[in-house]
Amino acid sequence: AQTVTQSQPEMSVQEAETVTLSCTYDTSESDYYLFWYKQPPSRQMILVIRQEAYKQQNATENRFSVNFQKAAKSFSLKISDSQLGDAAMYFCAHDMRFGAGTRLTVKP
Amino acid sequence: DAGVTQSPTHLIKTRGQQVTLRCSPISGHKSVSWYQQVLGQGPQFIFQYYEKEERGRGNFPDRFSARQFPNYSSELNVNALLLGDSALYLCASSLGWTGLHYEQYFGPGTRLTVT
């Protein structure tokens, strides 16, 4: 069965600093996308960034970027210049499966 | 454009009862998926419907069922409610049927409490 693993239940970062959230996945597919979603305390899940597996270039979306290692099946999210509004649960997703999430706290 | 909408927002039911949750996808999206999210955990996949046909099913008992209507809206039904069914139920819509290639857009969820 395909699985998604997030090994960091909680992470903390100082405002304006950089933090990296980890994710590993298991898949038998060769052509697929990977996603990071954010779920703030309001609980509306929103897409942060996506990565196409056939693209070697790591996806970037403003302050958010990924480090995609296809052979290692690793897909980490880097948040640069962290802001108070980044505080939320972050979920890594592959196909219809989500990781357990990482709760990110941003300290002022 | 309106996002994914779900109703009701909150629901309280008693063990053994039945519940129906509703979802309207983003206009133009033909796929609707349902997830169960227990507090503190990631969403667990229940069903996916595309063009009114079931395209995927997660590891949930037969008490859970769903359908998709011609206008692409969807209902999730849960029979014989158990205390463990208490959770946030999320609906997501996407353009295509495979989660491998399409991002999902989520609704605000329905909070179900079973007493």
Side-chain angles (χ1 to χ4, degrees):
Chain A
Q2 300 181 134
T3 59
V4 179
T5 302
Q6 292 179 250
S7 58
Q8 305 156 313
E10 297 184 359
M11 291 287 284
S12 179
V13 63
Q14 204 72 32
E15 195 175 7
E17 297 294 309
T18 296
V19 65
T20 299
L21 310 183
S22 300
C23 173
T24 58
Y25 63 96
D26 184 26
T27 187
S28 57
E29 305 289 340
S30 59
D31 180 20
Y32 54 89
Y33 287 16
L34 294 161
F35 306 96
W36 277 99
Y37 289 89
K38 171 185 178 181
Q39 190 176 41
S42 67
R43 304 191 74 88
Q44 182 94 31
M45 189 91 72
I46 56 175
L47 178 70
V48 174
I49 198 167
R50 71 175 187 179
Q51 173 75 44
E52 299 164 41
Y54 65 87
K55 287 188 175 180
Q56 294 193 355
Q57 186 174 6
N58 290 324
T60 298
E61 194 73 39
N62 299 318
R63 297 182 296 106
F64 298 87
S65 61
V66 301
N67 183 4
F68 174 51
Q69 302 290 330
K70 189 173 183 178
K73 296 181 180 175
S74 170
F75 179 58
S76 61
L77 175 69
K78 186 172 81 170
I79 307 174
S80 303
D81 186 25
S82 296
Q83 300 176 359
L84 295 177
D86 295 334
M89 286 291 292
Y90 286 82
F91 295 98
C92 175
H94 167 58
D95 199 354
M96 310 305 283
R97 281 161 175 79
F98 285 71
T102 296
R103 181 178 301 280
L104 179 65
T105 302
V106 182
K107 298 179 179 179
Chain B
D1 286 342
V4 178
T5 59
Q6 292 186 244
S7 64
T9 304
H10 296 90
L11 206 51
I12 300 175
K13 290 286 188 177
T14 304
R15 277 178 299 175
Q17 286 188 318
Q18 175 263 343
V19 67
T20 297
L21 310 181
R22 296 177 174 82
C23 172
S24 291
I26 291 171
S27 177
H29 285 192
K30 299 180 178 180
S31 175
V32 170
S33 300
W34 288 95
Y35 292 85
Q36 180 194 67
Q37 187 178 22
V38 174
L39 191 63
Q41 298 181 17
Q44 296 293 314
F45 172 62
I46 308 175
F47 286 111
Q48 183 187 29
Y49 277 77
Y50 178 75
E51 287 284 15
K52 292 151 283 183
E53 292 188 3
E54 183 182 306
R55 291 303 186 110
R57 172 186 286 252
N59 188 25
F60 279 80
D62 292 343
R63 299 185 296 108
F64 289 77
S65 63
R67 55 180 175 168
Q68 187 177 34
F69 299 99
N71 67 352
Y72 301 109
S73 67
S74 178
E75 287 183 351
L76 174 70
N77 295 284
V78 187
N79 295 322
L81 285 167
L82 303 174
L83 294 179
D85 295 331
S86 296
L88 181 71
Y89 287 85
L90 296 169
C91 173
S93 76
S94 61
L95 279 171
W97 72 269
T98 169
L100 290 171
H101 302 127
Y102 293 93
E103 61 260 38
Q104 298 183 79
Y105 296 83
F106 284 83
T110 294
R111 167 68 64 188
L112 172 65
T113 302
V114 182
T115 62

